[in-house]
Amino acid sequence: MTQIRKSPTTEATALRQLVKTNARELLRDGKTVFFVLLFPLLFLAMFLGLGFLNTGGSYRVAVKASAEQTQVIDKLAKAQGFHAEAWKADAPPAAGNLGGYDAIIGTGHGRAEVTVDASKFGALKGLRAALADSGIDSSRIDFRTPDGGRPFDPVKASLPTALVMALMSVAFFGTATPLIALRQRGTLRLLGATPLRRRTFVVAQVPVRLVLVAIQLLVLGSVAVGLGFLPLADAARLFATGLLGALMLFSFGYLVAARLRNPEIANGALAVLMPVVLLLGGLFLPMQMMPGFMQTICKAMPTTYLVDALNHDLTGAASTYGLTVDWLVLVGAAVVFGGLATRLFRWDQGEER
């Protein structure tokens, strides 16, 4: 029997048509659009609201001697709820002791070190604004608690969390679920009866999803730059990390969709998987606070390296593994997941070939 081969021109035409059809199908489903675009933004808005609204209270602040001391005190005096004064003692208090203040500020060489009571995270916005008005860029302000840790900042914490949620939403609810629904409706079986290659079909799913990811990165990156958490010069690095993370998660979404045919079961499983990934990635709980066996699991998950890279850019946290290692893990996981998805993909659950 003579085998019919598709010419490169025919395959390219099929790819373009599939890309257009896929974009229409994805954007036509209101539920998918909500979970892919709006849900992460609502999550971000909730945390931003928490951070900006939780600024009430009265805070006593000491400012160490420096060229910026008077200006910082004047700016804090204009902020509601702050009582600022010069640090009068000859030496700063011992480690772990704020000397009766809610925060102690030290400035110099265009930088600021702020030690703040861990329970007073409502003061962070005002402290950051006063220092910014004094000419100190937000990216050069180091907030610490008396024990040397970082205070909980709901505004900063929301950015990497919302971005990971956005990427997972595209990969899970915007990739795996629609493909499984196509299999359940029998659409994939009909496509399997044509000369269309599996690889062409899988590749056609990528462009519209990369556009959605680019929109998410642009929105969240603009918020981070606008709040002073991300220097504009580092925006390209964040964009690259987001795209690599998206490709890794897309590949995993394809792998999930490779054989499943029940979208309801898949949705339930993916909805449970999302908070687990967020927890084990170190977004809700620092990895150092987890038991040893959980730390081992975390280090084996590629999402941990995505979170590590995003935290470095968006929260100023020191990278645990280094950006090169983070990117290599993301690329390696994308290749492995993508290869398995292509190999295991079936037009129909009962297909054996």
Side-chain angles (χ1 to χ4, degrees):
M1 180 180 295
T2 303
Q3 185 177 5
I4 300 176
R5 294 182 178 272
K6 295 187 67 176
S7 68
T9 303
T10 304
E11 187 168 349
T13 302
L15 178 61
R16 286 196 298 270
Q17 187 59 45
L18 279 171
V19 169
K20 294 178 182 178
T21 303
N22 186 256
R24 287 196 298 267
E25 287 292 328
L26 184 63
L27 299 178
R28 185 182 301 165
D29 187 349
K31 184 186 299 183
T32 300
V33 172
F34 171 78
F35 279 107
V36 169
L37 288 178
L38 299 182
F39 180 68
L41 295 179
L42 289 175
F43 177 87
L44 176 63
M46 179 183 68
F47 268 78
L48 289 177
L50 175 64
F52 286 119
L53 292 176
N54 191 13
T55 56
S58 178
Y59 308 105
R60 186 165 176 251
V61 182
V63 183
K64 298 178 185 178
S66 68
E68 299 89 354
Q69 183 189 55
T70 302
Q71 188 175 13
V72 172
I73 291 176
D74 289 342
K75 296 297 181 182
L76 283 172
K78 298 176 182 178
Q80 184 176 2
F82 284 88
H83 173 72
E85 58 189 63
W87 176 257
K88 298 181 177 62
D90 294 332
N97 176 23
L98 287 176
Y101 292 98
D102 295 312
I104 299 176
I105 301 175
T107 60
H109 306 290
R111 303 186 65 89
E113 295 182 358
V114 183
T115 305
V116 60
D117 188 321
S119 65
K120 305 292 185 178
F121 67 84
L124 296 178
K125 178 177 179 288
L127 292 171
R128 188 182 292 112
L131 290 169
D133 290 341
S134 302
I136 301 175
D137 189 84
S138 296
S139 63
R140 298 173 67 84
I141 304 174
D142 184 23
F143 287 98
R144 296 285 178 175
T145 55
D147 61 1
R150 293 188 178 275
F152 172 69
D153 188 337
V155 179
K156 270 194 173 184
S158 67
L159 293 173
T161 304
L163 185 50
V164 173
M165 286 185 65
L167 297 180
M168 285 195 297
S169 295
V170 176
F172 294 172
F173 305 113
T175 301
T177 301
L179 288 178
I180 296 170
L182 288 176
R183 178 175 290 111
Q184 185 186 49
R185 294 199 300 264
T187 305
L188 294 187
R189 184 170 62 250
L190 294 176
L191 289 174
T194 71
L196 181 66
R197 296 181 180 179
R198 295 170 182 168
R199 182 181 60 189
T200 303
F201 176 79
V202 172
V203 171
Q205 315 298 310
V206 176
V208 64
R209 288 165 175 82
L210 285 183
V211 170
L212 292 176
V213 167
I215 294 173
Q216 292 169 337
L217 289 172
L218 182 62
V219 171
L220 294 174
S222 299
V223 172
V225 171
L227 293 174
F229 295 153
L230 176 69
L232 186 59
D234 294 339
R237 185 176 62 197
L238 174 68
F239 203 84
T241 299
L243 288 179
L244 290 177
L247 289 174
M248 181 272 293
L249 290 168
F250 288 169
S251 300
F252 180 76
Y254 291 138
L255 181 59
V256 171
R259 300 300 295 271
L260 296 181
R261 63 182 306 166
N262 190 315
E264 288 76 20
I265 293 177
N267 271 340
L270 293 174
V272 172
L273 180 61
M274 183 178 287
V276 172
V277 170
L278 294 175
L279 175 63
L280 294 181
L283 285 168
F284 294 155
L285 183 67
M287 194 179 303
Q288 296 77 7
M289 298 178 62
M290 299 181 186
F293 76 94
M294 289 186 66
Q295 293 187 31
T296 302
I297 295 174
C298 293
K299 292 177 181 178
M301 296 175 58
T303 46
T304 299
Y305 301 85
L306 172 61
V307 170
D308 183 58
L310 293 178
N311 271 335
H312 177 64
D313 280 336
L314 293 175
T315 69
S319 176
T320 302
Y321 309 103
L323 185 62
T324 301
V325 173
D326 292 334
W327 282 6
L328 287 175
V329 171
L330 295 177
V331 171
V335 171
V336 171
F337 291 152
L340 287 173
T342 303
R343 184 176 182 83
L344 297 176
F345 181 82
R346 297 291 184 269
W347 297 113
D348 183 71
Q349 188 71 5
E351 180 187 5
E352 296 297 336
R353 58 184 175 85

